[in-house]
mmCIF file of all heavy atoms in Angstrom:
data_model
loop_
_atom_site.group_PDB
_atom_site.id
_atom_site.type_symbol
_atom_site.label_atom_id
_atom_site.label_comp_id
_atom_site.label_asym_id
_atom_site.label_seq_id
_atom_site.Cartn_x
_atom_site.Cartn_y
_atom_site.Cartn_z
ATOM 1 N N ILE A 40 -89.637 -38.381 -26.866
ATOM 2 C CA ILE A 40 -88.217 -38.236 -26.541
ATOM 3 C C ILE A 40 -87.966 -38.824 -25.155
ATOM 4 O O ILE A 40 -88.734 -38.574 -24.219
ATOM 5 C CB ILE A 40 -87.802 -36.739 -26.581
ATOM 6 C CG1 ILE A 40 -88.100 -36.112 -27.963
ATOM 7 C CG2 ILE A 40 -86.333 -36.552 -26.185
ATOM 8 C CD1 ILE A 40 -87.385 -36.751 -29.150
ATOM 9 N N CYS A 41 -86.885 -39.609 -25.036
ATOM 10 C CA CYS A 41 -86.552 -40.206 -23.740
ATOM 11 C C CYS A 41 -86.118 -39.129 -22.750
ATOM 12 O O CYS A 41 -85.253 -38.306 -23.067
ATOM 13 C CB CYS A 41 -85.421 -41.220 -23.896
ATOM 14 S SG CYS A 41 -85.982 -42.723 -24.670
ATOM 15 N N GLY A 42 -86.705 -39.183 -21.580
ATOM 16 C CA GLY A 42 -86.398 -38.178 -20.560
ATOM 17 C C GLY A 42 -85.264 -38.614 -19.648
ATOM 18 O O GLY A 42 -84.693 -39.701 -19.813
ATOM 19 N N PRO A 43 -84.940 -37.795 -18.669
ATOM 20 C CA PRO A 43 -83.799 -38.092 -17.798
ATOM 21 C C PRO A 43 -84.123 -39.093 -16.695
ATOM 22 O O PRO A 43 -85.283 -39.300 -16.358
ATOM 23 C CB PRO A 43 -83.501 -36.729 -17.168
ATOM 24 C CG PRO A 43 -84.838 -36.076 -17.097
ATOM 25 C CD PRO A 43 -85.594 -36.530 -18.319
ATOM 26 N N THR A 44 -83.064 -39.693 -16.156
ATOM 27 C CA THR A 44 -83.173 -40.475 -14.932
ATOM 28 C C THR A 44 -82.843 -39.502 -13.802
ATOM 29 O O THR A 44 -81.743 -38.944 -13.778
ATOM 30 C CB THR A 44 -82.162 -41.644 -14.947
ATOM 31 O OG1 THR A 44 -82.404 -42.390 -16.138
ATOM 32 C CG2 THR A 44 -82.303 -42.534 -13.736
ATOM 33 N N VAL A 45 -83.812 -39.310 -12.919
ATOM 34 C CA VAL A 45 -83.680 -38.189 -11.984
ATOM 35 C C VAL A 45 -82.992 -38.598 -10.671
ATOM 36 O O VAL A 45 -83.649 -38.833 -9.666
ATOM 37 C CB VAL A 45 -85.056 -37.525 -11.737
ATOM 38 C CG1 VAL A 45 -85.393 -36.597 -12.887
ATOM 39 C CG2 VAL A 45 -86.162 -38.572 -11.584
ATOM 40 N N TYR A 46 -81.659 -38.673 -10.736
ATOM 41 C CA TYR A 46 -80.917 -38.967 -9.493
ATOM 42 C C TYR A 46 -79.898 -37.885 -9.183
ATOM 43 O O TYR A 46 -79.135 -37.991 -8.221
ATOM 44 C CB TYR A 46 -80.260 -40.347 -9.562
ATOM 45 C CG TYR A 46 -79.074 -40.462 -10.487
ATOM 46 C CD1 TYR A 46 -77.759 -40.358 -9.999
ATOM 47 C CD2 TYR A 46 -79.251 -40.666 -11.844
ATOM 48 C CE1 TYR A 46 -76.665 -40.475 -10.845
ATOM 49 C CE2 TYR A 46 -78.166 -40.784 -12.693
ATOM 50 C CZ TYR A 46 -76.882 -40.683 -12.191
ATOM 51 O OH TYR A 46 -75.805 -40.793 -13.036
ATOM 52 N N HIS A 50 -77.388 -31.567 -16.373
ATOM 53 C CA HIS A 50 -76.232 -30.778 -16.799
ATOM 54 C C HIS A 50 -76.441 -30.283 -18.226
ATOM 55 O O HIS A 50 -77.466 -30.599 -18.861
ATOM 56 C CB HIS A 50 -74.944 -31.590 -16.643
ATOM 57 C CG HIS A 50 -74.976 -32.934 -17.312
ATOM 58 N ND1 HIS A 50 -75.028 -33.085 -18.675
ATOM 59 C CD2 HIS A 50 -74.981 -34.199 -16.791
ATOM 60 C CE1 HIS A 50 -75.034 -34.368 -18.985
ATOM 61 N NE2 HIS A 50 -75.017 -35.078 -17.856
ATOM 62 N N ILE A 51 -75.447 -29.547 -18.737
ATOM 63 C CA ILE A 51 -75.649 -28.946 -20.060
ATOM 64 C C ILE A 51 -75.601 -29.985 -21.195
ATOM 65 O O ILE A 51 -75.995 -29.673 -22.317
ATOM 66 C CB ILE A 51 -74.676 -27.765 -20.322
ATOM 67 C CG1 ILE A 51 -73.203 -28.189 -20.172
ATOM 68 C CG2 ILE A 51 -75.004 -26.597 -19.404
ATOM 69 C CD1 ILE A 51 -72.219 -27.085 -20.584
ATOM 70 N N GLY A 52 -75.160 -31.225 -20.886
ATOM 71 C CA GLY A 52 -75.272 -32.311 -21.868
ATOM 72 C C GLY A 52 -76.750 -32.647 -22.073
ATOM 73 O O GLY A 52 -77.237 -32.782 -23.202
ATOM 74 N N HIS A 53 -77.482 -32.772 -20.957
ATOM 75 C CA HIS A 53 -78.936 -32.975 -21.073
ATOM 76 C C HIS A 53 -79.547 -31.779 -21.796
ATOM 77 O O HIS A 53 -80.403 -31.931 -22.661
ATOM 78 C CB HIS A 53 -79.598 -33.076 -19.693
ATOM 79 C CG HIS A 53 -79.107 -34.221 -18.879
ATOM 80 N ND1 HIS A 53 -78.378 -34.052 -17.731
ATOM 81 C CD2 HIS A 53 -79.223 -35.555 -19.063
ATOM 82 C CE1 HIS A 53 -78.085 -35.242 -17.237
ATOM 83 N NE2 HIS A 53 -78.577 -36.169 -18.034
ATOM 84 N N ARG A 55 -78.288 -29.896 -23.970
ATOM 85 C CA ARG A 55 -78.023 -29.957 -25.416
ATOM 86 C C ARG A 55 -79.116 -30.788 -26.112
ATOM 87 O O ARG A 55 -79.714 -30.371 -27.095
ATOM 88 C CB ARG A 55 -76.650 -30.593 -25.645
ATOM 89 C CG ARG A 55 -76.173 -30.519 -27.074
ATOM 90 C CD ARG A 55 -76.437 -31.760 -27.873
ATOM 91 N NE ARG A 55 -76.409 -31.483 -29.291
ATOM 92 C CZ ARG A 55 -75.461 -31.844 -30.132
ATOM 93 N NH1 ARG A 55 -74.454 -32.523 -29.697
ATOM 94 N NH2 ARG A 55 -75.537 -31.540 -31.393
ATOM 95 N N THR A 56 -79.345 -31.983 -25.552
ATOM 96 C CA THR A 56 -80.322 -32.877 -26.174
ATOM 97 C C THR A 56 -81.733 -32.288 -26.113
ATOM 98 O O THR A 56 -82.447 -32.260 -27.112
ATOM 99 C CB THR A 56 -80.238 -34.264 -25.504
ATOM 100 O OG1 THR A 56 -79.021 -34.880 -25.974
ATOM 101 C CG2 THR A 56 -81.396 -35.168 -25.854
ATOM 102 N N TYR A 57 -82.111 -31.767 -24.957
ATOM 103 C CA TYR A 57 -83.501 -31.295 -24.833
ATOM 104 C C TYR A 57 -83.752 -29.974 -25.556
ATOM 105 O O TYR A 57 -84.856 -29.745 -26.044
ATOM 106 C CB TYR A 57 -83.922 -31.251 -23.353
ATOM 107 C CG TYR A 57 -83.917 -32.650 -22.775
ATOM 108 C CD1 TYR A 57 -83.191 -32.972 -21.635
ATOM 109 C CD2 TYR A 57 -84.588 -33.672 -23.436
ATOM 110 C CE1 TYR A 57 -83.153 -34.274 -21.151
ATOM 111 C CE2 TYR A 57 -84.557 -34.971 -22.971
ATOM 112 C CZ TYR A 57 -83.844 -35.270 -21.834
ATOM 113 O OH TYR A 57 -83.815 -36.559 -21.374
ATOM 114 N N PHE A 60 -84.146 -30.960 -29.276
ATOM 115 C CA PHE A 60 -85.472 -31.522 -29.584
ATOM 116 C C PHE A 60 -86.581 -30.476 -29.399
ATOM 117 O O PHE A 60 -87.579 -30.503 -30.123
ATOM 118 C CB PHE A 60 -85.743 -32.773 -28.741
ATOM 119 C CG PHE A 60 -84.981 -33.982 -29.233
ATOM 120 C CD1 PHE A 60 -84.187 -34.731 -28.368
ATOM 121 C CD2 PHE A 60 -85.048 -34.371 -30.568
ATOM 122 C CE1 PHE A 60 -83.477 -35.846 -28.826
ATOM 123 C CE2 PHE A 60 -84.338 -35.484 -31.035
ATOM 124 C CZ PHE A 60 -83.558 -36.221 -30.159
ATOM 125 N N LYS A 86 -79.941 -46.249 -9.958
ATOM 126 C CA LYS A 86 -79.135 -45.092 -9.547
ATOM 127 C C LYS A 86 -79.896 -44.220 -8.553
ATOM 128 O O LYS A 86 -79.309 -43.634 -7.645
ATOM 129 C CB LYS A 86 -78.757 -44.259 -10.771
ATOM 130 C CG LYS A 86 -77.776 -44.961 -11.685
ATOM 131 C CD LYS A 86 -77.527 -44.115 -12.913
ATOM 132 C CE LYS A 86 -76.731 -44.884 -13.940
ATOM 133 N NZ LYS A 86 -77.046 -44.475 -15.301
ATOM 134 N N TRP A 234 -85.459 -51.359 -17.093
ATOM 135 C CA TRP A 234 -85.114 -50.029 -17.583
ATOM 136 C C TRP A 234 -85.915 -49.624 -18.831
ATOM 137 O O TRP A 234 -86.340 -48.469 -18.982
ATOM 138 C CB TRP A 234 -83.599 -50.001 -17.884
ATOM 139 C CG TRP A 234 -83.102 -48.751 -18.517
ATOM 140 C CD1 TRP A 234 -83.673 -47.497 -18.431
ATOM 141 C CD2 TRP A 234 -81.928 -48.589 -19.327
ATOM 142 N NE1 TRP A 234 -82.923 -46.583 -19.130
ATOM 143 C CE2 TRP A 234 -81.849 -47.233 -19.695
ATOM 144 C CE3 TRP A 234 -80.937 -49.474 -19.768
ATOM 145 C CZ2 TRP A 234 -80.816 -46.728 -20.485
ATOM 146 C CZ3 TRP A 234 -79.918 -48.971 -20.551
ATOM 147 C CH2 TRP A 234 -79.858 -47.610 -20.908
ATOM 148 N N GLY A 254 -86.815 -40.326 -30.151
ATOM 149 C CA GLY A 254 -85.425 -39.889 -30.092
ATOM 150 C C GLY A 254 -84.835 -39.850 -28.697
ATOM 151 O O GLY A 254 -85.516 -40.045 -27.684
ATOM 152 N N GLY A 255 -83.546 -39.600 -28.699
ATOM 153 C CA GLY A 255 -82.763 -39.472 -27.476
ATOM 154 C C GLY A 255 -81.338 -39.208 -27.927
ATOM 155 O O GLY A 255 -81.073 -39.113 -29.144
ATOM 156 N N ALA A 256 -80.409 -39.153 -26.992
ATOM 157 C CA ALA A 256 -79.017 -38.970 -27.412
ATOM 158 C C ALA A 256 -78.477 -40.312 -27.911
ATOM 159 O O ALA A 256 -79.088 -41.368 -27.719
ATOM 160 C CB ALA A 256 -78.174 -38.428 -26.274
ATOM 161 N N VAL A 257 -77.323 -40.255 -28.545
ATOM 162 C CA VAL A 257 -76.783 -41.395 -29.276
ATOM 163 C C VAL A 257 -76.523 -42.627 -28.381
ATOM 164 O O VAL A 257 -76.623 -43.771 -28.836
ATOM 165 C CB VAL A 257 -75.520 -40.938 -30.062
ATOM 166 C CG1 VAL A 257 -74.405 -40.523 -29.123
ATOM 167 C CG2 VAL A 257 -75.055 -41.975 -31.038
ATOM 168 N N ASP A 258 -76.279 -42.420 -27.082
ATOM 169 C CA ASP A 258 -76.034 -43.559 -26.184
ATOM 170 C C ASP A 258 -77.282 -44.411 -25.983
ATOM 171 O O ASP A 258 -77.183 -45.561 -25.545
ATOM 172 C CB ASP A 258 -75.493 -43.087 -24.822
ATOM 173 C CG ASP A 258 -76.402 -42.087 -24.133
ATOM 174 O OD1 ASP A 258 -77.204 -41.430 -24.822
ATOM 175 O OD2 ASP A 258 -76.311 -41.956 -22.901
ATOM 176 N N LEU A 259 -78.435 -43.847 -26.294
ATOM 177 C CA LEU A 259 -79.665 -44.614 -26.071
ATOM 178 C C LEU A 259 -79.978 -45.576 -27.208
ATOM 179 O O LEU A 259 -80.831 -46.449 -27.072
ATOM 180 C CB LEU A 259 -80.844 -43.660 -25.840
ATOM 181 C CG LEU A 259 -80.743 -42.777 -24.602
ATOM 182 C CD1 LEU A 259 -82.070 -42.064 -24.353
ATOM 183 C CD2 LEU A 259 -80.372 -43.578 -23.352
ATOM 184 N N THR A 287 -79.294 -37.563 -30.988
ATOM 185 C CA THR A 287 -78.446 -36.367 -30.890
ATOM 186 C C THR A 287 -77.025 -36.781 -30.505
ATOM 187 O O THR A 287 -76.817 -37.782 -29.808
ATOM 188 C CB THR A 287 -78.968 -35.407 -29.793
ATOM 189 O OG1 THR A 287 -79.221 -36.156 -28.605
ATOM 190 C CG2 THR A 287 -80.222 -34.689 -30.209
ATOM 191 N N GLY A 288 -76.055 -35.979 -30.939
ATOM 192 C CA GLY A 288 -74.668 -36.213 -30.557
ATOM 193 C C GLY A 288 -74.440 -35.762 -29.112
ATOM 194 O O GLY A 288 -75.254 -35.034 -28.534
ATOM 195 N N PHE A 289 -73.333 -36.178 -28.556
ATOM 196 C CA PHE A 289 -73.027 -35.810 -27.167
ATOM 197 C C PHE A 289 -72.494 -34.403 -27.039
ATOM 198 O O PHE A 289 -71.831 -33.897 -27.947
ATOM 199 C CB PHE A 289 -71.938 -36.725 -26.605
ATOM 200 C CG PHE A 289 -72.421 -38.087 -26.238
ATOM 201 C CD1 PHE A 289 -71.591 -39.187 -26.413
ATOM 202 C CD2 PHE A 289 -73.681 -38.275 -25.694
ATOM 203 C CE1 PHE A 289 -72.013 -40.462 -26.072
ATOM 204 C CE2 PHE A 289 -74.110 -39.546 -25.350
ATOM 205 C CZ PHE A 289 -73.274 -40.636 -25.539
ATOM 206 N N LEU A 290 -72.704 -33.833 -25.889
ATOM 207 C CA LEU A 290 -71.922 -32.684 -25.481
ATOM 208 C C LEU A 290 -70.778 -33.270 -24.662
ATOM 209 O O LEU A 290 -71.022 -34.047 -23.727
ATOM 210 C CB LEU A 290 -72.766 -31.728 -24.630
ATOM 211 C CG LEU A 290 -72.038 -30.449 -24.282
ATOM 212 C CD1 LEU A 290 -72.774 -29.261 -24.881
ATOM 213 C CD2 LEU A 290 -71.934 -30.260 -22.797
ATOM 214 N N THR A 291 -69.568 -32.975 -25.068
ATOM 215 C CA THR A 291 -68.418 -33.583 -24.406
ATOM 216 C C THR A 291 -67.581 -32.509 -23.703
ATOM 217 O O THR A 291 -67.722 -31.314 -23.994
ATOM 218 C CB THR A 291 -67.520 -34.301 -25.443
ATOM 219 O OG1 THR A 291 -67.127 -33.342 -26.422
ATOM 220 C CG2 THR A 291 -68.245 -35.424 -26.140
ATOM 221 N N LYS A 296 -67.771 -37.765 -22.940
ATOM 222 C CA LYS A 296 -69.174 -37.436 -22.727
ATOM 223 C C LYS A 296 -69.355 -36.751 -21.376
ATOM 224 O O LYS A 296 -68.842 -37.236 -20.362
ATOM 225 C CB LYS A 296 -70.007 -38.725 -22.762
ATOM 226 C CG LYS A 296 -71.481 -38.482 -22.531
ATOM 227 C CD LYS A 296 -72.245 -39.762 -22.231
ATOM 228 C CE LYS A 296 -73.676 -39.436 -21.832
ATOM 229 N NZ LYS A 296 -74.376 -40.534 -21.206
ATOM 230 N N MET A 297 -70.066 -35.627 -21.385
ATOM 231 C CA MET A 297 -70.381 -35.016 -20.096
ATOM 232 C C MET A 297 -71.415 -35.912 -19.427
ATOM 233 O O MET A 297 -72.432 -36.239 -20.035
ATOM 234 C CB MET A 297 -70.941 -33.609 -20.319
ATOM 235 C CG MET A 297 -71.232 -32.882 -19.033
ATOM 236 S SD MET A 297 -71.716 -31.152 -19.265
ATOM 237 C CE MET A 297 -70.148 -30.370 -19.554
ATOM 238 N N SER A 298 -71.139 -36.355 -18.218
ATOM 239 C CA SER A 298 -72.119 -37.245 -17.598
ATOM 240 C C SER A 298 -72.098 -37.145 -16.079
ATOM 241 O O SER A 298 -71.083 -36.774 -15.480
ATOM 242 C CB SER A 298 -71.888 -38.690 -18.038
ATOM 243 O OG SER A 298 -70.860 -39.268 -17.275
ATOM 244 N N LYS A 299 -73.249 -37.515 -15.535
ATOM 245 C CA LYS A 299 -73.400 -37.456 -14.082
ATOM 246 C C LYS A 299 -72.431 -38.435 -13.435
ATOM 247 O O LYS A 299 -71.789 -38.117 -12.449
ATOM 248 C CB LYS A 299 -74.848 -37.813 -13.720
ATOM 249 C CG LYS A 299 -75.835 -36.762 -14.166
ATOM 250 C CD LYS A 299 -77.256 -37.054 -13.740
ATOM 251 C CE LYS A 299 -78.044 -37.759 -14.803
ATOM 252 N NZ LYS A 299 -79.505 -37.652 -14.635
HETATM 253 P P1 AMP B 188 -79.897 -39.627 -18.505
HETATM 254 O O1 AMP B 188 -80.543 -38.921 -17.401
HETATM 255 O O2 AMP B 188 -78.422 -39.787 -18.332
HETATM 256 O O3 AMP B 188 -80.608 -40.897 -18.828
HETATM 257 O O4 AMP B 188 -80.020 -38.723 -19.809
HETATM 258 C C1 AMP B 188 -81.227 -38.224 -20.330
HETATM 259 C C2 AMP B 188 -81.053 -37.858 -21.796
HETATM 260 O O5 AMP B 188 -79.997 -36.924 -21.947
HETATM 261 C C3 AMP B 188 -80.702 -39.045 -22.676
HETATM 262 O O6 AMP B 188 -81.246 -38.879 -23.973
HETATM 263 C C4 AMP B 188 -79.211 -38.957 -22.698
HETATM 264 O O7 AMP B 188 -78.670 -39.674 -23.754
HETATM 265 C C5 AMP B 188 -79.023 -37.445 -22.829
HETATM 266 N N1 AMP B 188 -77.668 -37.039 -22.420
HETATM 267 C C6 AMP B 188 -77.035 -37.346 -21.268
HETATM 268 N N2 AMP B 188 -75.782 -36.852 -21.268
HETATM 269 C C7 AMP B 188 -75.617 -36.212 -22.453
HETATM 270 C C8 AMP B 188 -74.537 -35.493 -23.074
HETATM 271 N N3 AMP B 188 -73.370 -35.332 -22.457
HETATM 272 N N4 AMP B 188 -74.748 -34.968 -24.288
HETATM 273 C C9 AMP B 188 -75.925 -35.105 -24.932
HETATM 274 N N5 AMP B 188 -76.978 -35.772 -24.415
HETATM 275 C C10 AMP B 188 -76.837 -36.315 -23.191
#
Side-chain angles (χ1 to χ4, degrees):
I40 303 300
C41 286
T44 305
V45 280
Y46 72 97
H50 53 67
I51 57 173
H53 299 113
R55 189 263 160 108
T56 287
Y57 296 125
F60 285 128
K86 291 176 189 150
W234 174 25
V257 65
D258 56 338
L259 297 190
T287 48
F289 284 145
L290 185 118
T291 57
K296 179 194 173 195
M297 183 173 282
S298 81
K299 292 184 265 200

